[in-house]
């Protein structure tokens, strides 16, 4: 048995049901579990590793519910495009992706996430040209030491069949299902505190067939805790595509295919009405909110406060590094808070503006703590996990600590939790995943990234210039 003691933290925010925050507090860990949370004076006096976290804030590890890690290879492309134009520009570049590229880009993106406070991440790998496999992504996640939900994504509906992607980046549906089953039976760990779970994730309504969506759901539900994920209601173009092709709005379409329930979560969900939000709440269907990507591609602003009031499970996602151009999860929490504050409040384009342009927002639309709750408890619930997301006895030992004694927090010492969101952040100072220290003093310990970064630059250059 190995043990870790964290003590003397300025503040510990547990994000338990009561929202407990403790001054001069800490955590005691044995193996991969939290054994005690409380005042420093009440914790054990010794452990195998002891961290004096004076002038630090302790938070639960952050949970990333949507990403495309391979896109770290193709940042800042199609800078002024909407989603469909952006995809059309990038599909030919992504067609050059190799299995080595999957592995290297996964290491790179996960390192960036971990340094930003992420301890659990999902990823949506939906393009498999050349020799690409999900196996290499899983290998990278294991090596770097993050808790990981690996999604076997897919595209099968090419341009010749009325879909968006070029035919040469799509796959045969029988092969997709066969590989999905292989991956589940090879890698999926359904146990509590699991470090690796499999997700089945056809890409979107405009890139797969209804048959593949149905068959994928049937396959996933033959196994315990294999969840379903896709993009949904991201843009008005998608809504128009679904109405023209299926005669239904996106939410009604996935509902008709059996893609709602506690084992499903959908990325974006920007363009949903009150009836659709109510369906998500009543069925336990989750949402991955990706504010930066939605801003970058001008997709819109998801109605997160309305979803929250309705009882929808919502987590944060940084989304792909080609539509976010970064993988900083703590920054994404800040973005989520600020975006909701400028969202149009009871605004209609038909309303007279009285000679003015613009519109007012609501400064109370989302607080710093609400944003962090999305990034912790919300993300855990969205991924179907009750073993992470808060600092409580019996939960997985996933947590982060931030040194408050640095320039960007000056003047914010009266509320360290809010400072973690309002103030600009760089890397966290300490991160523990499954009882293992992976970041210390702002440095990644689990893997030397020197060679992977060099190879990443080479592969990226090849893809973008060849």
């Amino acid at each position: 048995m190995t043990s870790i003691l964290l003590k003397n933290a300025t503040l510990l925010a547990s994000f338990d049901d009561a929202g407990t925050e403790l001054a001069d507090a800490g955590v005691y860990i044995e193996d991969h579990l939290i054994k005690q949370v409380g005042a420093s004076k009440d914790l054990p006096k010794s452990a195998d590793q002891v961290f004096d976290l004076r002038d630090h804030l302790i938070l639960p590890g952050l949970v990333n519910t949507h990403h495309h890690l391979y896109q770290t290879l193709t940042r800042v492309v199609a800078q002024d495009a909407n989603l469909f134009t952006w995809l059309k520009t990038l599909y030919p570049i992504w067609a050059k992706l190799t299995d080595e590229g999957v592995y290297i880009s996964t290491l790179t993106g996960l390192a960036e996430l971990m340094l930003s406070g992420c301890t659990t991440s999902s990823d949506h790998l939906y393009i498999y040209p050349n020799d690409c496999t999900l196996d290499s992504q899983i290998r990278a996640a294991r090596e770097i030491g993050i808790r990981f939900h690996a999604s076997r994504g897919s595209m099968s509906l090419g341009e010749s069949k009325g879909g968006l992607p070029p035919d040469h980046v799509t796959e045969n549906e029988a092969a997709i299902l066969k590989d999905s089953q292989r991956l589940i039976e090879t890698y999926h760990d359904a146990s509590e505190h699991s470090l690796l779970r499999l997700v089945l994730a056809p890409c979107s309504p405009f890139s797969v067939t209804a048959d593949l969506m149905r068959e994928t759901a049937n396959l996933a539900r033959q196994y315990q805790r294999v969840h379903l994920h896709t993009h949904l209601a991201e843009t008005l173009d998608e809504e128009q595509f679904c109405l023209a092709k299926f005669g239904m709005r996106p939410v009604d379409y996935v509902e008709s295919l059996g893609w709602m329930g506690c084992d499903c979560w959908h990325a974006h969900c920007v363009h949903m009405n009150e009836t659709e939000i109510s369906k998500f709440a009543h069925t336990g269907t989750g949402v991955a909110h990706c504010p930066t990507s939605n801003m970058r591609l001008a997709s819109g602003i998801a109605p997160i406060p309305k979803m929250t009031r309705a009882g929808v499970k919502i987590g944060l996602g940084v989304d792909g590094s080609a539509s976010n151009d970064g993988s900083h999860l703590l920054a994404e929490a800040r973005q989520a808070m600020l975006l909701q504050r400028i969202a149009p409040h009871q605004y209609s384009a038909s309303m007279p503006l009285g000679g003015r342009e613009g519109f007012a927002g609501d400064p109370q639309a989302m607080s710093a703590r609400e944003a962090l709750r999305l990034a912790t408890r919300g993300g855990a619930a969205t991924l179907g996990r009750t073993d992470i997301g808060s600092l409580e006895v019996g939960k997985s030992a996933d947590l982060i600590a931030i040194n408050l004694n640095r320039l960007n927090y000056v003047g914010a010492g009266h509320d360290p939790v809010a400072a973690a969101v309002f103030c600009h952040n760089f890397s966290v100072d300490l991160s523990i995943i499954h009882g293992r220290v992976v970041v210390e003093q702002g440095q990644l310990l689990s893997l030397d990234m020197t060679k992977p970064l060099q190879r990443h630059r080479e592969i990226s250059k090849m893809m973008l210039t060849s």
Side-chain angles (χ1 to χ4, degrees), residues 265-315:
W265 88 99
H266 300 285
H268 303 295
C269 299
V270 174
H271 300 285
M272 287 173 55
N273 59 36
E274 289 188 8
T275 299
E276 294 162 346
I277 290 170
S278 180
K279 285 181 180 180
F280 268 50
H282 290 147
T283 59
T285 307
V287 170
H289 176 45
C290 307
T292 300
S293 175
N294 295 157
M295 295 168 71
R296 206 270 211 192
L297 296 173
S299 300
I301 304 175
I304 299 303
K306 186 173 288 188
M307 291 180 182
T308 301
R309 289 192 296 271
V312 178
K313 296 184 301 188
I314 309 168

Side-chain angles (χ1 to χ4, degrees), residues 397-440:
D398 291 8
L399 56 88
I400 57 175
I402 299 170
N403 189 343
L404 301 168
N405 199 17
R406 50 180 174 175
L407 187 61
N408 51 310
Y409 293 122
V410 169
H414 58 95
D415 191 346
V417 176
V421 180
F422 274 98
C423 302
H424 280 282
N425 289 287
F426 303 97
S427 62
V428 297
D429 295 278
L430 178 72
S431 178
I432 296 174
I433 301 176
H434 204 65
R436 176 191 179 197
V437 179
V438 294
V439 174
E440 187 174 358

Side-chain angles (χ1 to χ4, degrees), residues 132-145:
C132 293
T133 66
L134 190 64
D135 304 69
S136 289
Q137 183 169 86
I138 291 169
R139 176 165 64 96
R142 283 176 164 173
E143 288 178 6
I144 206 164

Side-chain angles (χ1 to χ4, degrees), residues 141-188:
R142 283 176 164 173
E143 288 178 6
I144 206 164
I146 197 168
R147 199 177 301 278
F148 198 54
H149 286 227
S151 297
R152 205 311 180 177
S154 54
M155 297 195 296
S156 64
L157 190 69
E159 287 177 312
S160 65
K161 298 176 182 177
L164 191 72
D167 289 355
H168 67 274
V169 296
T170 63
E171 297 178 88
N172 173 270
E173 294 192 351
I176 291 168
L177 292 167
K178 182 178 180 181
D179 191 48
S180 297
Q181 183 172 7
R182 176 190 69 83
L183 288 162
I184 293 168
E185 295 182 354
T186 303
Y187 297 110
H188 181 64

Side-chain angles (χ1 to χ4, degrees), residues 64 67 69 109-118 121 318 327 329:
N64 179 35
H67 209 325
L69 289 161
L110 290 179
E112 190 177 1
L113 280 169
M114 290 164 70
L115 288 169
S116 77
C118 180
S121 183
V318 297
S327 302
L329 192 52

